[in-house]
């Protein structure tokens, strides 16, 4: 047994194969760690001197051995079992997949609360919009836009502020009375019944189903109006009666994508709801995403006639002027042109008690 | 490090010894892992597991330093193979074997194709697969393999000849009996 150990097996085998043997990593490691006995070491060194190929192999091994020596700056001591497994791509993959599933679950489970969260911050959002209203770019458009009589929105209030039509700037939206806000302008409103307007010129009113059914629909755009009354949140129905202090939150979705313009219509008065500032043109709809409009509408005062919330979906941006022309009665020539403005128009009837 | 020792149920002195051994054998273990796994992330993974095997097993280990090295060599190899198994990356070992063959033209030359090595390796039982890898990849002699694996040389010879026979059958050089 001792004599066998005198010469490393690989060396012996190498010689038997005509001098082209190689050293095993195991033998070289033993040599480097000083675990060979005297006889083995001398035989090993003789082999290195005799065979250039083996010598070159050992030199490469030696260099890499030195490079792999434990260095505090490059290596670290293991910390706990499985710590490095976290770096493992499979573990990361599992973690990522789990997170995606968790997020999806949260979104599905909490979609209702997510939907309503901004509504709880209504006053703050309104305040922000009032401030933003000072910088209205298109003052002309806003000036031509009379406020609705009894239904008031934060955006409308902003427009009034910009034009100096309404009450004091610092007056909060909530305490502002509707009568103060351009009541005169809205006085000569048409007394025509909304049913006449709706059936003949606006087209058939689309009734809205449950949120899930509506949002699950195909490529046609959908609108959702939610109602917050006394802290309780429900989905509002078109034609429903609203009370003073009710808040409405608007949302839309269009699988196809394009542009949308939300307006409030009362008789011949068309008030922009979204967008309320800037160029007064339709804003882009992200394809397939539910979009919640910022802020909320607050119902105040009594209504003398029905009002409509109209969402105009189009492939190209539409200006407020064109939309207004399309909505209110116009001479026949213009009417035909104006009606082609929106690819889809959705209407929501608001009645007040 | 104290909590690790406590967690292990061992005293701190033993952990310190294991840590010293880890530093000493680090080049050998890391080279071994790198040679088989060929991926730094996987190498870290296997090193981690090997170190913990060292920590757990060092207290019970009875033997001299040469035997300790053989044991560590085998532990490291086993963990590398486990990682490969888990990652389904056996092609890395096959690549390493083929490179080895190209460089040294050793006795693996009788297998014509890399596919043969791969296919036959995958079908072997774990212990036999390990022995074949020592032979193919490391060029270890049967005696060394027996020393590292803690078995007899006769057993190793049986494993290797069985592997060679299966490879020949797979290549169609011999008829299946």
């Amino acid at each position: 047994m001792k004599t066998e150990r005198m010469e490393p097996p690989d060396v012996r085998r190498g010689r038997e194969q005509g001098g082209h043997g190689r050293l095993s990593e195991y033998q070289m490691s033993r040599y480097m760690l000083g675990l060979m006995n005297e006889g083995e070491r001398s035989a090993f060194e003789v082999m290195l001197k005799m065979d250039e190929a083996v010598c070159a192999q050992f030199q490469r091994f030696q260099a890499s051995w030195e490079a792999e020596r434990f260095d505090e700056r490059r290596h670290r001591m293991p910390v706990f079992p499985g710590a490095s497994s976290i770096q493992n791509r499979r573990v990361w993959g599992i973690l990522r997949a789990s997170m995606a599933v968790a997020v999806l679950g949260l979104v599905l489970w909490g979609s209702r609360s997510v939907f309503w969260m901004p509504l709880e911050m209504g006053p703050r959002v309104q305040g922000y919009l009032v401030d933003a209203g000072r910088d209205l770019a298109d003052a002309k458009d806003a000036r031509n836009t009379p406020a609705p009589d009894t239904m008031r929105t934060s955006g409308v209030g902003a427009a009034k502020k910009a034009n100096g039509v309404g009450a004091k700037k610092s007056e909060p939206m909530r305490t502002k009375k509707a009568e103060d806000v351009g009541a005169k302008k809205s006085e000569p409103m048409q007394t025509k019944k909304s049913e006449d307007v709706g059936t003949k010129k606006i087209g058939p009113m689309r009734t809205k189903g449950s949120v899930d059914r509506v949002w699950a629909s195909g490529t046609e755009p959908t609108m959702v109006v939610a109602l917050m009354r006394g802290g309780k949140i429900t989905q509002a129905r078109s034609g429903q009666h609203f009370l003073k202090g009710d808040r409405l939150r608007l949302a839309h979705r269009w699988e196809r994508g394009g542009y949308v313009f939300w307006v409030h219509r009362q008789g011949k008065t068309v008030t922009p709801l979204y967008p309320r500032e800037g160029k007064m043109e339709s804003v882009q709809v992200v394809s397939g995403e539910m979009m919640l409009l910022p802020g909320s509408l607050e119902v105040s005062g009594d209504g003398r006639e029905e009002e409509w919330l109209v969402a105009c979906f189009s492939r190209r941006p539409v200006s407020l002027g064109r939309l207004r022309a399309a909505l209110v009665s116009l001479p026949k020539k213009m009417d035909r042109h104006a009606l082609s403005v929106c690819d889809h128009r959705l209407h929501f009837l608001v009645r007040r008690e | 490090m104290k909590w690790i020792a406590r967690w292990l149920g061992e005293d701190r002195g033993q952990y310190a010894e294991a840590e010293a051994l880890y530093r000493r054998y680090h080049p050998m273990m890391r080279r071994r892992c790198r040679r088989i796994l060929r991926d730094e992330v996987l190498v870290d993974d296997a090193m981690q597991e090997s170190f913990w095997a060292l920590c757990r097993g060092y207290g019970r280990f009875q033997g001299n330093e040469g035997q300790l090295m053989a044991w560590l060599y085998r532990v490291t190899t086993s963990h590398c193979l486990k990682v490969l198994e888990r990652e389904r990356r056996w092609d890395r070992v096959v690549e390493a074997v083929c490179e080895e063959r190209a460089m040294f033209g050793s006795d693996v030359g009788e297998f014509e194709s890399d596919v043969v090595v791969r296919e036959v390796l995958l079908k072997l039982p774990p212990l036999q697969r390990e022995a074949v890898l020592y032979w193919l990849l490391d060029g270890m002699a049967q005696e060394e393999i027996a020393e590292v694996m803690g078995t007899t040389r006769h057993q190793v010879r049986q494993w290797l000849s069985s592997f060679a026979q299966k490879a020949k059958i797979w290549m169609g050089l011999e008829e299946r009996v």
Side-chain angles (χ1 to χ4, degrees):
Chain A
M1 198 68 183
K2 185 80 176 174
T3 50
E4 280 184 12
R5 263 301 189 194
M6 284 296 287
E7 194 174 62
D10 278 325
V11 176
R12 187 177 64 239
R13 188 179 56 192
R15 282 182 178 164
E16 286 165 2
Q17 290 172 357
H20 288 289
R22 58 172 171 150
L23 295 168
S24 71
E25 192 168 319
Y26 181 69
Q27 285 298 334
M28 291 188 285
S29 301
R30 288 184 75 227
Y31 180 80
M32 292 298 291
L33 289 165
L35 297 175
M36 281 183 173
N37 61 31
E38 199 60 40
E40 285 172 337
R41 185 178 302 148
S42 57
F44 189 87
E45 284 165 359
V46 167
M47 179 67 189
L48 291 181
K49 285 176 187 171
M50 282 175 61
D51 196 322
E52 285 181 7
V54 171
C55 185
Q57 181 197 353
F58 181 69
Q59 281 172 353
R60 281 197 302 274
F61 177 84
Q62 214 170 9
S64 67
W65 183 279
E66 292 302 327
E68 293 291 1
R69 277 200 189 281
F70 189 84
D71 185 0
E72 300 285 356
R73 287 167 297 182
R74 288 191 297 122
H75 304 114
R76 59 191 168 86
M77 288 300 283
V79 183
F80 58 89
S84 65
S85 295
I86 295 171
Q87 298 170 8
N88 189 306
R89 277 164 295 180
R90 174 181 281 191
V91 174
W92 273 120
I94 292 168
L95 280 176
R96 276 199 296 266
S98 312
M99 284 171 68
V101 169
V103 168
L104 184 66
L106 278 174
V107 167
L108 291 175
W109 178 76
S111 58
R112 188 180 171 86
S113 58
V114 168
F115 182 76
W116 288 113
M117 189 187 62
L119 189 60
E120 305 297 338
M121 305 187 297
R124 191 159 64 83
V125 176
Q126 282 188 1
Y128 167 73
L129 289 172
V130 169
D131 292 339
R134 291 172 190 159
D135 302 325
L136 283 177
D138 198 349
K140 190 180 175 183
D141 246 354
R143 199 173 295 121
N144 294 335
T145 305
D149 180 356
T150 49
M151 180 157 179
R152 159 164 72 77
T153 70
S154 54
V156 175
K160 294 294 170 288
K161 276 195 168 186
N163 301 330
V165 180
K168 291 174 187 176
K169 284 187 179 180
S170 58
E171 192 175 3
M173 286 295 295
R174 200 171 178 78
T175 56
K176 203 190 290 180
K177 287 186 178 177
E179 286 74 17
D180 299 334
V181 187
K184 285 182 181 175
K185 288 201 170 186
S186 58
E187 274 291 323
M189 275 184 293
Q190 295 284 329
T191 53
K192 196 189 291 180
K193 286 185 179 177
S194 60
E195 283 81 4
D196 300 335
V197 179
T199 50
K200 287 189 176 176
K201 293 184 180 168
I202 302 178
M205 186 178 75
R206 300 178 188 207
T207 53
K208 310 299 174 294
S210 69
V211 176
D212 292 340
R213 186 164 63 79
V214 168
W215 287 349
S217 63
T219 54
E220 283 201 355
T222 52
M223 63 188 281
V224 176
V225 180
L227 165 66
M228 185 173 180
R229 180 181 292 168
K232 193 180 174 186
I233 297 160
T234 53
Q235 186 190 354
R237 305 280 173 187
S238 183
Q240 183 178 343
H241 289 273
F242 294 98
L243 304 174
K244 186 178 179 180
D246 284 351
R247 277 187 180 179
L248 303 180
R249 188 85 198 271
L250 311 177
H252 60 251
R253 179 188 179 124
W254 194 10
E255 292 295 338
R256 189 181 175 283
Y259 294 86
V260 67
F261 208 129
W262 280 80
V263 293
H264 168 261
R265 182 188 177 190
Q266 188 173 23
K268 284 194 173 182
T269 307
V270 176
T271 310
L273 293 177
Y274 185 72
R276 286 181 274 244
E277 56 191 52
K279 285 176 68 180
M280 286 298 175
E281 265 190 2
S282 305
V283 291
Q284 199 160 11
V285 179
V286 181
S287 173
E289 277 189 23
M290 179 193 69
M291 284 182 70
L292 285 169
L293 301 195
S296 57
L297 306 174
E298 185 180 341
V299 180
S300 61
D302 302 324
R304 281 165 294 184
E305 62 177 330
E306 289 152 350
E307 301 155 62
W308 295 87
L309 301 176
V310 182
C312 169
F313 293 89
S314 57
R315 280 171 290 182
R316 292 180 182 176
V318 176
S319 68
L320 178 62
R322 288 187 69 196
L323 181 59
R324 185 181 290 137
L327 291 177
V328 300
S329 58
L330 287 170
K332 273 195 172 179
K333 269 187 185 176
M334 287 182 72
D335 197 15
R336 183 186 297 173
H337 172 69
L339 281 175
S340 64
V341 167
C342 305
D343 295 312
H344 299 276
R345 263 190 321 194
L346 302 181
H347 307 272
F348 186 92
L349 178 60
V350 179
R351 288 195 178 106
R352 300 189 218 199
E353 289 189 347
Chain B
M1 297 295 177
K2 212 175 209 174
W3 67 270
I4 300 175
R6 201 179 302 135
W7 181 77
L8 283 169
E10 309 287 353
D11 62 329
R12 174 150 171 72
Q14 186 172 322
Y15 180 83
E17 282 181 36
E19 190 175 323
L21 282 176
Y22 180 79
R23 287 168 191 271
R24 175 168 160 74
Y25 289 105
H26 185 267
M28 182 197 77
M29 293 164 70
R30 200 163 183 88
R31 264 189 59 83
R32 185 92 194 114
C33 294
R34 187 168 288 164
R35 192 164 188 204
I36 296 175
L37 299 171
R38 296 161 166 247
D39 185 320
E40 282 302 310
V41 175
L42 298 182
V43 166
D44 286 339
D45 206 358
M47 285 291 285
Q48 177 93 28
E49 289 172 20
S50 306
F51 173 72
W52 280 98
L54 174 65
C55 284
R56 284 192 300 269
Y58 178 65
R60 297 188 297 273
F61 187 78
Q62 304 283 333
N64 59 25
E65 203 179 346
Q67 288 165 328
L68 176 66
M69 186 214 151
W71 177 72
L72 261 182
Y73 198 82
R74 189 184 177 201
V75 162
T76 312
T77 307
S78 308
H79 282 297
C80 290
L81 296 183
K82 274 184 196 167
V83 170
L84 282 183
E85 188 87 49
R86 193 174 63 208
E87 296 288 319
R88 299 172 190 277
R89 301 305 298 268
W90 276 100
D91 50 326
R92 290 170 190 263
V93 175
V94 177
E95 276 175 27
V97 168
C98 295
E99 276 180 17
E100 197 75 13
R101 184 174 52 178
M103 188 176 290
F104 295 103
S106 62
D107 40 8
V108 210
E110 62 186 90
F111 306 113
E112 289 177 354
S113 160
D114 306 342
V115 182
V116 176
V117 177
R118 178 192 168 83
E119 291 300 318
V120 176
L121 265 180
L122 286 177
K123 288 170 185 168
L124 296 178
L127 275 178
Q128 190 179 359
R129 184 191 290 162
E130 197 179 325
V132 169
L133 274 181
Y134 287 132
W135 180 52
L136 286 180
L137 183 63
D138 301 325
M140 287 167 75
Q142 293 175 7
E143 187 186 335
E144 283 176 307
I145 297 172
E147 183 181 318
V148 168
M149 294 187 72
T151 183
T152 60
R153 188 173 173 177
H154 176 70
Q155 176 68 64
V156 173
R157 190 164 55 236
Q158 271 191 341
W159 279 336
L160 296 185
S161 60
S162 159
F163 165 71
Q165 197 176 355
K166 282 179 184 172
K168 281 174 186 171
I169 290 171
W170 204 91
M171 289 163 67
L173 297 178
E174 278 185 16
E175 290 296 322
R176 190 186 294 271
V177 180

